[in-house]
Amino acid sequence: MSALLLLFTCLLLGALVARFAKPPSGIVHGINWWVINIALPALVLELMPRVKIDAQLWFPVAAMWVVFFGAWLLFATLGRWLGWSRERVGALTLVCGLGNTSFMGYPMMQALHGKEGLALAVVADQLGCFPLLSSAGVAVASWYAGKSPQPAVIARRILSFPAFLALVVGVIAGALGGWPAWADDVFVPIGATLTPLALFSVGLQFKFHLRPGQRSALVLGLGWKLALAPLAAWLLGRAAGVGGLTLTVGVLQAAMAPMISAAILADEHRLEPALANTILGAGIVLSLATVPLANLLLGG
């Protein structure tokens, strides 16, 4: 409970600062830069050598694919039935197909399942959700905005991402026996800044502005992201014989709130940004209750 209270406190502080304290311009960009380029790679470098490679490790990655491509299929179908615009279908696919598996996922998995759960959350994020954002996510955004995705740009974006490079280095370090104690003494405190700063940044960006005609899209989008998507991931895991903490973390990562970067991508491509940001804000708040509830249902 104390760990979950920390998440809520940091989120609330960010929202209060944004509302009452008039923070300096560019503060969100600066915090996100530190989190993405410094804290996240340090955390990955600390955790990856500790990940135990087993036959079930594919599941947290596959669960992210189920969430994204399930969202695409669902909202493309609903879009035809309900007469939605291309922009709405694209926005819902992005924000409800990509989860906040790092900024929200890492702190919540650490709070619920400790370092072992956090290590599995890194696998789901860095091998599942992030490559999806950088490849299929960019392709979907470009397609529904009437543009053509550029494969070379997508590949360069993935291969040069600091956390992805840290993932490769961490796997090599693990194969060689892990880091010396002094290296962990550096990685641990730097990586520990991710949780408070990430949630504070989310609070700073929190928005909820529902326009007329968007309520059904909001309900359907969050219904998939917070309920049906984790259910689909759980069914996949059970059918494949996955169990234990690997199943739990994979399902919980599938149940995470919408990804902030996905909403930004929708905004950059003019894919109904008001709806994307409303789903993002509502999903973050609701996930603070739905993810712990899902954890209880899974026996966590």
Side-chain angles (χ1 to χ4, degrees), residues 12 33 36 47 56 61 148 273:
L12 180 62
W33 188 94
I36 291 171
L47 294 176
Q56 297 185 347
V61 178
S148 298

Side-chain angles (χ1 to χ4, degrees), residues 122-198:
V122 169
V123 172
D125 178 61
Q126 289 299 301
L127 295 181
C129 214
F130 169 70
L132 276 171
L133 169 69
S134 301
S135 56
V138 172
V140 164
S142 300
W143 170 259
Y144 284 101
K147 302 175 183 178
S148 298
Q150 301 177 4
V153 174
I154 292 173
R156 184 166 62 251
R157 182 176 179 178
I158 294 174
L159 295 176
S160 63
F161 188 63
F164 181 81
L165 297 176
L167 180 81
V168 174
V169 173
V171 170
I172 295 172
L176 296 176
W179 300 109
W182 63 263
D184 272 337
D185 289 341
V186 174
F187 296 144
V188 170
I190 295 176
T193 64
L194 184 143
T195 295
L197 289 179

Side-chain angles (χ1 to χ4, degrees), residues 57 155 237-238 256 290:
L57 204 56
R238 295 293 292 174
M256 281 299 151
T290 58

Side-chain angles (χ1 to χ4, degrees), residues 109-131:
M109 288 307 97
Q110 185 171 18
L112 294 170
H113 294 288
K115 287 285 187 179
E116 189 177 356
L118 179 56
L120 290 170
V122 169
V123 172
D125 178 61
Q126 289 299 301
L127 295 181
C129 214
F130 169 70

Side-chain angles (χ1 to χ4, degrees), residues 9-90:
T9 300
C10 292
L11 185 67
L12 180 62
L13 278 174
L16 290 175
V17 167
R19 177 68 176 85
F20 298 109
K22 296 181 180 180
S25 61
I27 186 174
V28 169
H29 176 76
I31 292 174
N32 289 351
W33 188 94
W34 170 268
V35 168
I36 291 171
N37 293 287
I38 305 297
L40 179 55
L43 185 63
V44 172
L45 286 170
E46 176 205 349
L47 294 176
M48 286 314 299
R50 305 178 185 181
V51 174
K52 298 177 181 178
I53 305 299
D54 61 46
Q56 297 185 347
L57 204 56
W58 62 271
F59 173 70
V61 178
M64 302 301 98
W65 287 69
V66 168
V67 175
F68 182 82
F69 288 103
W72 195 355
L73 176 62
L74 174 64
F75 297 123
T77 303
L78 287 175
R80 286 194 294 270
W81 289 349
L82 300 176
W84 286 347
S85 65
R86 288 174 58 87
E87 290 79 9
R88 176 165 293 186
V89 173

Side-chain angles (χ1 to χ4, degrees), residues 205-230:
Q205 300 171 78
F206 183 81
K207 294 179 181 179
F208 191 88
H209 299 294
L210 191 63
R211 293 181 178 178
Q214 293 181 335
R215 181 170 300 177
S216 62
L218 173 73
V219 172
L220 290 168
L222 291 178
W224 166 257
K225 187 68 196 75
L226 301 180
L228 295 179

